[in-house]
Amino acid sequence: MVSKKKSSSIDVKILEHELVPKHVIVDIDEGIKILKQYGIKPEQLPWLRASDPVARAIGAKPGDIVKIVRKSPTGGEVIVYRYVVPG
Amino acid sequence: MDPKLGAIEPGQTCPICGNSIRACPGHFGHIELALPVVNVLFVKNIYELLRATCNKCGRIKIAPQDAERYIRYLKRLKDRYPYLARRFSEYVKKQAIKASKCPHCGAEQPKIKLEKPTTFVEYYEERKAMIRLNPLIIRSRLERIPNEDLEILGYDSKDSRPEWMVFTVLPVPPTSIRPSILIETGIRSEDDLTHKLVDIIRTNERLREHIVSGAPQIIIDDLWELLQYHVTTYLDNEVPGLPPAKHRSGRPLKTLVQRLKGKEGRFRGNLSGKRVDYSARTVISPDPYLSINEVGIPIDVAKTLTVPERVTDLNIDELRRHILNGPEKWPGANYIVTQDGRRIDLRYVKDRKSIAESLAPGYIVERHLKDGDIVIFNRQPSLHRMSMMGHVVKVLPGRTFRLHLAVCPPYNADFDGDEMNLHVPQTEEARAEARYLLKVQYNILTPRYGGIIIGGIQDYISGAYMLTIKSTLLTREEVMELLASSGIVKEPLEPAILSPKRLWIGKQIVSMFLPEDFDYQGRANISSGPLKCEDIECFWDSFVLVRKGKLLLGVIDKKIIGAEQQESLLYWLAKEYGIEFTTKFIDHIFRMFIKILEKRGFTLKLDDVAIDMATKSNMYSLLNESFKRVEELVQKYVEGTLEVVPGRSLEESLEIKILEVLAEARDRAGEEAVSNLNPFNHAFIMARTGARGNVLNLTQMAATLGQMTVRGERIWRGYMGRTLPHFKKNDLGPIARGFVVNSFFNGLSVTEMFMHAAGGREGLVDTAVRTSQSGYMQRRLINALQDLYVEYDYTVRDSTGSIIQFIYGEDGADPSKTPYTTIINVDRIVGKVIGWGR
C-alpha cells in the first residue's frame, strides 16, 4: 500500500515537468466530434497505453481519448489526440 | 520427366489441361512419404505448440475457467485491436508453457527441448530420462489439439491445422518451376530442385522397402533421419546446424528458401526490382557547354535506344527521312509497327525506300533518340528523388554520357570513373511526367530543407570570386569576350572607370545578368575570421549587396552562388523569378565564371604552400612551447600532482589534456602559416571562397599535420609500451605518440609516415562501415514509411487510413517551398516593402 501511494505521487509529479505537454481527457461528445471530423474509428487514432505514466497520472482508462496540447517551434500550439488502449 | 507435370516442349500438348507450352501453367504431383517428416520452416511453431499443450490429452495447459475468459477477451480484442490480440495470444502461450501439470487431466508435463534443427526431445526430470520424439508422435500430438484451444494460441484452425506442419505427402512442383537446361553437347542438366527431389524419392523408396521387409529399427531410424535431412534441405539449404546439400561440383544447392530470400531472391530481385529495356549505362564526363538540364549521349547509344513515335500528317515527312536512314545511320529508325500490330525490323529490310513510301498515319516508328527527347538520368545509390532527374537529350560524338557540372551535387557524382544509367520513357504519359515533373530545373530546390541543391561548385566559385573582386578591371574587349562566352548579346553598361581608359569592373558584368528589380544582401563565405563583416560598411568587400539588379558590394563566392547553401542569392532568384529563369541564369553566368579563369589562369602550385624562414621559425617555437607543456603535464602525471578530469581516470585525464594542448598547437601553427600566405595565392583563395579545401588542409600542407589519432586517442598500440622500436619504452611525448611535426610540403619522416598511415587507415575503414550501415538503415526507414501520405485535411495517414500526424510536420508546411526553418522570411518582405533597415 505504501509503495502504491509513493508511485502515484511520482505520477502526478511528471505532469509538472516542462517537457511533458498538457494532457486532458476528452469527454464523450467531443470525442465523437473529433472522430467525425477525421472520419475515423477510435482505433485509427495514435494509441496511448493505459500503463503509460501520463495516462496513469491523469487517470485515463482504456476507451478514453486524450487531447495533448504541444508546443512546436514552427507550428505554435499543436493539438493531437491519443486513444487509450489496454496494456 | 512425367508429362503429367505439364507441357515443357514446344508443340507438346499437356495431358492434364490440353494446353500447349504457352498456356499450360504446369501441374503439381506428389510423393507419398513412407514415414512422416517435420517441416523445418515450422519447427518454431511446432515447438511452442508442443510445449503449450498437454502431452496426454492435447488440451492447452490453461485452467478451463481461465480459458473461457481468455477466449471471450480475445474475441473482443480481435475485432478492435488485432495487434493487441496477437500480443495477448503470446502472453497466454507463455502462461501455458510455464504450467508443469495439465489442469485438464492432471498429467505431469515433461520438459521438451528442441535439438536444432528438427529433433524434439522430451526430458523427464524425476526419472532423468530422455525420449526422442519422432515425427509420428509429434503429428499425433498436434492432431489431438482441439480447435478451440488453437484459437487462444492465435492459430486459425480452419486454414491451418497444426498437424499439417508435419509432412506425410510432399508436393512435387511442376517442371516449369524447375526446367532442365540442354547444353550444346546435348547433355541435360537438371535444376537443383529436381536433384533434391531425386534424393528424396530414392531415400523414400529405400525406407519403404526396409519397412516392408521388416528391417531392424536402427536401420529404419537412420534412413528416416536421412529422409528428414533431404526434405529439410529441399526446403531450406541454409538451416543452421545442418551441412548444406551440395552439387557434384561442391556448389551448395539453391533450394526453395534460397530462391525467395535476400537481395537476389524472387522478392527483392525479381518483383520489387527488375531488369529493364530502353536503358543505357556508361562512364560520365563533364561538359560545361551543356545546359544544366541536358545530357550528352554518345551516337552509339542514340542508335540503340528508340522512342516510339506515332505517324501523323505533321511528322510523316521527318519519320520517312528516319526510315530512309535505317538502323545504322543516325538519326534513323530501328522498327516500324504497322496498324495491324506487325513489327518490321529495319535491319532486314532490303528496300527502305518503298517502306518509307508506304508509311501512313497510324503507324508507329521506333526512331533513334535525338536532340530534344526527354530521358531519365540516374546515379546509384539513389538516395533521394534528385538521384533520378529528367534531362533533355543532346547527341554528341564520343563514348561517355556528358553532364553539366552544376548537377553533380544532387547525383553526388564526380568523374573519377563514375557510371550513370539512362532510361527512355516509352509512352506519352511517361514523357510528359518526365518533362513537367522530373526535369533538372524542377529539382533545383531540395525537398529536404528547401535550399538550393544545384549551384556553383569548385571552379565556378573561384571564377565568380576572381571576376567580382575589386582588382578585376576589364577592357571593352575583355568584357565582350566574357559576354560572348556566356552567350549573351547585350550592350555593356557605362564603364566604372572612364579615364585614362574605359574599364569595367566584374560586378558590373554580373549585374547584367540579374533581374532589374532584384534585391539581395548577405554575407559572403570569405566573411569569417579577420575578414568578417556584418553589414554594408565592409572594408573587406565580404558583404554582398544587390539593389535594383545591380551588384553594388561584395564578392561572389560559395555562400552566394554555391550548391547546398541556404538563403543564397541563387536561392532568392529561384524563389522570386522562377526556376526557368534560374536555369538560364546558371547556364549563362557560370560559363562566364569559367571563362575568366581560363583568361587569368588559375592553378595550385607548390609555392602556394611554401612559407618563409621567419614564419617557419615562429611556428617551430610555437610547437616547441607546446611540447614543453606536454612534458610538464607528463611530469605532473609521474609525480601524481595532475588534476583529474571529473569522471576520468588519471591516465585518461593526461591524454585529454595532451590532446587539447597539441590540437591548440596545430591550430596556432596553422594560423601563423596561413596568415603569412599571400591573399591572392590561389590555394588560399580556394579555401577562403569555399571552392575547394579548407584552412585545415592548408595548415597540413604548409605548417604541420598535427596529431594523428585512432579512435580519438593518440596512437599507442604496437610493441610493449611503444608504437615503434624507434622510441623509448613508455615515452609519452608527442612524437612517440603520433604527432607529425612536418607538413606535406616538408615531407614526413619515417616514423611520422607510419603514424599518418595509421590515422588514414581508420578513415578508410570508417567510411566503408558507415556507408553499409546507413544504407541498411535507410532501407528499413523507407520500408516503414513508404505508404504514408498527406490527406486533404493535412493529416498524415498510413495505408489503412489511421492517423500518424494530425498536421503534417506540426505546421503543414512543405519544406521545399519554405525558407530555411521558417514558413516565411519576414525580414526580407519588410526589407522589400519599406526599404532595408540595416
Side-chain angles (χ1 to χ4, degrees):
Chain A
M1 212 50 214
V2 176
S3 65
K4 213 173 183 182
K5 212 172 181 185
K6 206 175 172 185
S7 76
S8 72
S9 74
I10 291 172
D11 280 357
V12 177
K13 262 189 198 159
I14 61 166
L15 295 177
E16 288 157 21
H17 194 282
E18 60 167 352
L19 291 178
V20 177
K22 194 173 142 202
H23 288 65
V24 186
I25 300 173
V26 167
D27 62 51
I28 292 218
D29 293 340
E30 205 189 332
I32 291 168
K33 218 180 81 195
I34 292 158
L35 295 180
K36 228 177 201 154
Q37 182 196 335
Y38 291 110
I40 51 171
K41 285 182 278 179
E43 303 85 75
Q44 289 180 305
L45 287 170
W47 290 358
L48 182 71
R49 296 260 225 110
S51 59
D52 186 286
V54 179
R56 277 198 298 188
I58 61 168
K61 292 279 164 303
D64 286 346
I65 292 176
V66 174
K67 173 172 151 181
I68 302 170
V69 184
R70 228 188 262 157
K71 290 212 165 45
S72 148
T74 52
E77 276 197 345
V78 182
I79 296 170
V80 299
Y81 300 97
R82 292 281 125 101
Y83 181 57
V84 184
V85 297
Chain B
M1 204 64 71
D2 193 337
K4 289 197 182 101
L5 287 168
I8 39 165
E9 250 138 78
Q12 186 190 1
T13 314
C14 174
I16 302 290
C17 62
N19 283 310
S20 69
I21 182 171
R22 279 181 64 110
C24 174
H27 310 282
F28 273 87
H30 70 269
I31 300 170
E32 278 166 25
L33 299 176
L35 283 169
V37 148
V38 170
N39 184 338
V40 250
L41 307 178
F42 290 109
V43 275
K44 235 175 136 189
N45 298 282
I46 295 173
Y47 183 44
E48 75 187 18
L49 282 172
L50 287 181
R51 283 185 305 160
T53 56
C54 170
N55 66 338
K56 287 266 152 28
C57 65
R59 297 297 305 271
I60 179 168
K61 290 185 286 183
I62 298 278
Q65 61 274 21
D66 286 342
E68 212 169 289
R69 223 178 62 230
Y70 287 161
I71 286 187
R72 260 184 284 127
Y73 188 56
L74 191 73
K75 273 194 180 133
R76 281 220 315 280
L77 280 180
K78 254 190 195 159
D79 292 341
R80 304 191 69 176
Y81 325 98
Y83 171 72
L84 283 183
R86 240 172 292 143
R87 297 223 339 209
F88 182 65
S89 289
E90 289 296 320
Y91 167 76
V92 177
K93 208 176 288 163
K94 257 197 207 131
Q95 293 292 310
I97 289 169
K98 262 191 217 151
S100 59
K101 201 170 174 190
C102 174
H104 295 272
C105 64
E108 285 294 326
Q109 297 299 314
K111 283 227 165 72
I112 296 177
K113 268 193 200 142
L114 169 60
E115 270 175 14
K116 291 231 157 138
T118 48
T119 30
F120 293 93
V121 176
E122 251 182 1
Y123 181 70
Y124 290 91
E125 257 173 51
E126 66 278 16
R127 280 190 277 150
K128 295 247 179 271
M130 304 247 278
I131 298 177
R132 215 169 141 259
L133 299 176
N134 65 36
L136 266 174
I137 302 174
I138 295 170
R139 195 179 150 89
S140 71
R141 283 202 190 163
L142 295 174
E143 275 169 353
R144 272 204 296 267
I145 306 173
N147 283 347
E148 305 84 69
D149 290 0
L150 282 174
E151 205 175 323
I152 308 178
L153 293 169
Y155 289 84
D156 184 349
S157 52
K158 265 199 239 99
D159 293 324
S160 56
R161 279 292 310 178
E163 64 265 25
W164 300 345
M165 295 190 279
V166 180
F167 282 119
T168 53
V169 174
L170 194 71
V172 175
T175 36
S176 49
I177 273 166
R178 42 187 179 90
S180 48
I181 308 157
L182 271 176
I183 310 172
E184 295 289 293
T185 50
I187 306 163
R188 274 174 97 88
S189 173
E190 294 296 340
D191 191 90
D192 286 1
L193 283 187
T194 313
H195 281 300
K196 209 62 234 180
L197 285 168
V198 169
D199 288 343
I200 291 170
I201 291 173
R202 202 181 291 138
T203 24
N204 193 39
E205 287 310 314
R206 262 171 58 203
L207 183 57
R208 185 182 319 237
E209 276 163 25
H210 280 298
I211 292 169
V212 170
S213 63
Q217 192 59 35
I218 310 163
I219 294 177
I220 290 180
D221 279 349
D222 273 0
L223 270 176
W224 198 355
E225 202 151 308
L226 185 61
L227 183 66
Q228 175 74 63
Y229 169 77
H230 283 314
V231 172
T232 302
T233 49
Y234 168 69
L235 295 165
D236 184 353
N237 203 12
E238 278 167 8
V239 182
L242 267 193
K246 297 228 168 99
H247 196 252
R248 256 168 302 161
S249 63
R251 168 183 63 87
L253 293 173
K254 228 180 155 192
T255 51
L256 288 173
V257 166
Q258 277 68 48
R259 283 192 175 197
L260 307 178
K261 222 174 73 182
K263 197 152 167 201
E264 256 110 68
R266 201 91 323 141
F267 293 106
R268 276 176 77 184
N270 301 111
L271 292 163
S272 301
K274 308 178 172 66
R275 289 167 177 271
V276 293
D277 284 339
Y278 306 104
S279 61
R281 178 184 175 96
T282 178
V283 178
I284 50 166
S285 47
D287 188 341
Y289 295 107
L290 289 174
S291 161
I292 56 164
N293 66 31
E294 280 180 325
V295 56
I297 292 179
I299 294 175
D300 286 329
V301 172
K303 283 196 294 197
T304 311
L305 297 176
T306 58
V307 177
E309 191 166 333
R310 175 159 254 121
V311 179
T312 65
D313 287 333
L314 298 170
N315 64 9
I316 192 162
D317 291 333
E318 202 189 342
L319 288 176
R320 280 207 172 110
R321 276 199 297 280
H322 278 93
I323 292 167
L324 286 177
N325 276 336
E328 306 290 340
K329 192 177 156 201
W330 184 83
N334 289 358
Y335 290 94
I336 300 170
V337 184
T338 59
Q339 268 160 316
D340 48 356
R342 223 155 34 86
R343 277 172 79 86
I344 302 168
D345 190 337
L346 284 175
R347 278 177 301 179
Y348 307 115
V349 170
K350 292 272 141 50
D351 184 16
R352 287 203 289 268
K353 219 169 203 171
S354 68
I355 289 266
E357 285 298 315
S358 70
L359 200 67
Y363 280 46
I364 292 167
V365 178
E366 296 195 352
R367 49 147 252 256
H368 289 161
L369 212 56
K370 60 179 184 181
D371 291 5
D373 284 331
I374 188 103
V375 291
I376 290 164
F377 203 37
N378 157 241
R379 179 180 177 275
Q380 278 125 350
S382 314
L383 295 175
H384 54 190
R385 71 178 208 200
M386 285 82 75
S387 292
M388 291 192 114
M389 293 192 284
H391 284 251
V392 172
V393 168
K394 176 105 180 168
V395 179
L396 296 171
R399 323 191 114 245
T400 56
F401 288 138
R402 250 59 56 81
L403 56 111
H404 190 270
L405 290 125
V407 291
C408 288
Y411 290 120
N412 191 19
D414 50 40
F415 305 105
D416 59 2
D418 288 24
E419 290 184 59
M420 283 180 72
N421 313 315
L422 182 126
H423 300 269
V424 186
Q426 294 290 307
T427 64
E428 283 303 337
E429 290 94 326
R431 280 195 285 269
E433 253 185 63
R435 207 174 276 279
Y436 293 103
L437 297 173
L438 302 183
K439 261 212 318 223
V440 171
Q441 55 256 49
Y442 298 103
N443 290 299
I444 289 179
L445 298 174
T446 162
R448 194 163 85 206
Y449 52 87
I452 203 136
I453 195 169
I454 291 166
I457 49 167
Q458 307 199 356
D459 270 8
Y460 288 125
I461 292 165
S462 311
Y465 176 79
M466 294 303 276
L467 181 66
T468 50
I469 48 176
K470 285 177 174 173
S471 60
T472 300
L473 298 173
L474 303 156
T475 62
R476 186 176 165 85
E477 286 71 36
E478 286 173 318
V479 170
M480 295 322 262
E481 195 186 344
L482 283 177
L483 290 179
S485 74
S486 70
I488 288 272
V489 182
K490 238 180 183 180
E491 187 61 27
L493 307 153
E494 189 70 7
I497 295 168
L498 290 171
S499 178
K501 213 176 153 195
R502 288 160 65 84
L503 288 171
W504 282 260
I505 56 171
K507 292 188 175 76
Q508 288 186 294
I509 316 294
V510 172
S511 302
M512 292 176 65
F513 293 82
L514 294 169
E516 272 173 17
D517 52 351
F518 181 65
D519 289 339
Y520 174 79
Q521 60 184 41
R523 280 167 51 193
N525 198 58
I526 61 166
S527 174
S528 70
L531 307 185
K532 195 165 176 174
C533 282
E534 292 291 352
D535 55 27
I536 55 173
E537 280 162 38
C538 181
F539 178 77
W540 305 104
D541 211 21
S542 66
F543 193 85
V544 177
L545 187 72
V546 179
R547 285 288 175 273
K548 297 219 169 9
K550 298 277 177 290
L551 177 60
L552 300 174
L553 283 175
V555 294
I556 292 186
D557 62 14
K558 190 181 178 189
K559 283 259 172 68
I560 310 299
I561 53 133
E564 296 170 314
Q565 298 300 310
Q566 262 122 29
E567 313 247 302
S568 65
L569 177 137
L570 216 50
Y571 172 79
W572 287 112
L573 273 184
K575 273 273 151 187
E576 290 171 2
Y577 298 89
I579 43 173
E580 295 295 335
F581 176 85
T582 315
T583 312
K584 291 252 162 62
F585 182 80
I586 292 174
D587 281 347
H588 293 303
I589 204 165
F590 279 25
R591 270 182 230 166
M592 195 172 76
F593 293 153
I594 296 292
K595 189 74 189 173
I596 188 95
L597 287 192
E598 284 172 8
K599 282 169 64 65
R600 294 287 156 94
F602 194 85
T603 184
L604 190 147
K605 58 189 189 291
L606 186 59
D607 281 357
D608 284 352
V609 291
I611 45 175
D612 54 67
M613 289 311 286
T615 321
K616 212 172 200 170
S617 65
N618 279 347
M619 210 185 72
Y620 283 139
S621 65
L622 275 173
L623 287 182
N624 275 326
E625 208 176 286
S626 299
F627 284 6
K628 280 226 182 69
R629 278 175 59 200
V630 171
E631 226 168 84
E632 280 163 26
L633 283 171
V634 172
Q635 191 60 38
K636 271 193 197 162
Y637 164 71
V638 172
E639 287 164 8
T641 53
L642 188 76
E643 247 179 81
V644 182
V645 179
R648 298 295 179 131
S649 71
L650 192 64
E651 286 75 19
E652 285 171 340
S653 313
L654 176 70
E655 282 299 311
I656 289 170
K657 283 187 175 149
I658 292 177
L659 273 176
E660 266 171 26
V661 169
L662 292 178
E664 198 205 321
R666 186 201 56 200
D667 289 346
R668 283 176 58 195
E671 237 169 71
E672 178 72 27
V674 171
S675 64
N676 274 288
L677 292 176
N678 179 349
F680 296 103
N681 166 339
H682 289 170
F684 193 34
I685 285 178
M686 285 195 280
R688 258 180 22 215
T689 57
R692 197 75 225 244
N694 53 38
V695 176
L696 187 91
N697 296 144
L698 284 181
T699 305
Q700 293 201 323
M701 287 189 281
T704 170
L705 257 63
Q707 179 66 49
M708 300 292 115
T709 57
V710 170
R711 297 184 179 175
E713 289 171 341
R714 299 200 297 160
I715 294 164
W716 56 272
R717 272 164 175 277
Y719 298 88
M720 285 170 74
R722 51 184 173 176
T723 46
L724 286 172
H726 305 69
F727 305 113
K728 289 199 173 118
K729 276 191 182 175
N730 299 319
D731 183 354
L732 292 174
I735 308 290
R737 288 295 170 87
F739 190 90
V740 179
V741 178
N742 281 309
S743 63
F744 285 125
F745 181 87
N746 289 124
L748 274 54
S749 76
V750 173
T751 54
E752 283 176 340
M753 184 269 187
F754 178 86
M755 303 294 180
H756 184 230
R761 166 72 63 86
E762 192 197 20
L764 292 181
V765 172
D766 274 5
T767 43
V769 171
R770 241 197 334 267
T771 45
S772 66
Q773 272 183 350
S774 65
Y776 183 43
M777 191 176 87
Q778 167 130 4
R779 191 181 145 72
R780 287 179 323 215
L781 262 178
I782 289 172
N783 283 336
L785 301 179
Q786 60 183 354
D787 294 325
L788 303 188
Y789 65 101
V790 180
E791 189 52 272
Y792 286 110
D793 62 0
Y794 296 111
T795 54
V796 179
R797 312 263 184 140
D798 68 8
S799 52
T800 66
S802 297
I803 291 180
I804 306 296
Q805 274 183 1
F806 284 84
I807 299 174
Y808 171 70
E810 295 196 331
D811 53 13
D814 177 351
S816 64
K817 290 179 180 152
T818 48
Y820 185 59
T821 66
T822 52
I823 294 178
I824 47 165
N825 185 328
V826 180
D827 282 352
R828 193 171 165 82
I829 292 171
V830 171
K832 284 203 94 157
V833 175
I834 63 166
W836 301 84
R838 283 172 293 162

